[in-house]
Amino acid sequence: MRQDSHRFLVAYDIPDDRRRSHMAIALKRFGLRVQYSVFMVDCSPSHVLVLQRELEDIMDRDQDSVLVSDLGLSKTADARAMTWLGHSRYIVGDGTMIV
Amino acid sequence: MRQDSHRFLVAYDIPDDRRRSHMAIALKRFGLRVQYSVFMVDCSPSHVLVLQRELEDIMDRDQDSVLVSDLGLSKTADARAMTWLGHSRYIVGDGTMIV
């Protein structure tokens, strides 16, 4: 992971099944699905713009809602910015997958 | 809004309909629904612990997943940490509701 990598959460509301699955397929190339319509992406602030343009090509701007949230530096995000209640399924800083 | 207020995103995956609606009802008392299963909450870091305990009472820890993300100070969160693609429906800093 790059030192300047930020942790982004991408949450989406997309009523259309086909677009919603295209969104998930695209996001899987950038990060990890942590909830049904929430992905976690670790990348540089500049690279997230590439992701956003790709998502804009997929979505319908009038019907769909995508929120990209910047949680700050990836290396401190787990401890500083993310609290899981119940089960979570993603990789914490040391590479352990929690299912 | 308090100066020490932080912007939290609460995203949940809850398979059971009844628990999911109880979760939404509880969250409406703390913040604003910005997507089907994502709420935005502005409160102090200590008050979010009250929210978390309430959500833990509602949820089933084995089946449900709730992620509480801290986006930092509320007063700078809109510009610094949140990017909307497509439509958003929430109140920006100056009180304007974007639908």
Side-chain angles (χ1 to χ4, degrees), chain B residues 3-58:
Chain B
Q3 283 307 308
D4 67 342
S5 176
H6 274 220
R7 171 73 45 89
F8 296 94
L9 281 187
V10 182
Y12 53 88
D13 258 7
I14 299 179
D16 178 74
D17 293 342
R18 220 166 62 88
R19 279 201 312 274
R20 196 170 52 248
S21 72
H22 284 173
M23 181 70 68
I25 291 166
L27 282 164
K28 275 179 195 157
R29 283 189 283 107
F30 286 87
L32 191 74
R33 191 176 219 163
V34 293
Q35 286 184 352
Y36 184 70
S37 54
V38 179
F39 277 73
M40 189 177 79
V41 175
D42 288 322
C43 68
S44 67
S46 55
H47 194 57
V48 85
L49 303 178
V50 173
L51 165 63
Q52 286 175 192
R53 276 195 298 273
E54 194 166 323
L55 301 186
E56 285 176 316
D57 290 344
I58 294 169

Side-chain angles (χ1 to χ4, degrees), chain B residues 52-69:
Chain B
Q52 286 175 192
R53 276 195 298 273
E54 194 166 323
L55 301 186
E56 285 176 316
D57 290 344
I58 294 169
M59 63 191 290
D60 175 319
R61 296 183 64 85
D62 296 325
Q63 294 186 32
D64 302 343
S65 165
V66 176
L67 171 60
V68 180
S69 305

Side-chain angles (χ1 to χ4, degrees), chain A residues 9-12 32-40, chain B residues 11 38 67:
Chain A
L9 281 187
V10 182
Y12 54 87
L32 193 74
R33 190 176 218 164
V34 293
Q35 286 184 352
Y36 183 71
S37 54
V38 178
F39 278 72
M40 190 178 79
Chain B
V38 179
L67 171 60

Side-chain angles (χ1 to χ4, degrees), chain A residues 13 36 66 68 70-71 81 83 85, chain B residues 13 36 66 68 70 81 83 85:
Chain A
D13 258 6
Y36 183 71
V66 176
V68 181
D70 184 348
L71 301 187
T83 302
L85 308 177
Chain B
D13 258 7
Y36 184 70
V66 176
V68 180
D70 184 347
T83 302
L85 308 178

Side-chain angles (χ1 to χ4, degrees), chain A residues 14-85:
Chain A
I14 300 178
D16 178 75
D17 292 342
R18 221 165 61 87
R19 279 201 312 273
R20 196 170 52 247
S21 72
H22 284 173
M23 182 69 67
I25 290 165
L27 281 164
K28 275 179 195 157
R29 282 190 283 107
F30 286 86
L32 193 74
R33 190 176 218 164
V34 293
Q35 286 184 352
Y36 183 71
S37 54
V38 178
F39 278 72
M40 190 178 79
V41 175
D42 287 323
C43 69
S44 66
S46 55
H47 194 57
V48 86
L49 302 177
V50 173
L51 166 62
Q52 286 175 193
R53 277 195 297 274
E54 193 165 324
L55 301 185
E56 285 176 318
D57 290 345
I58 294 169
M59 62 191 292
D60 176 319
R61 296 184 65 84
D62 295 326
Q63 294 187 30
D64 303 342
S65 164
V66 176
L67 171 59
V68 181
S69 305
D70 184 348
L71 301 187
L73 287 175
S74 300
K75 59 188 176 192
T76 58
D78 288 314
R80 174 180 45 77
M82 299 177 76
T83 302
W84 287 96
L85 308 177

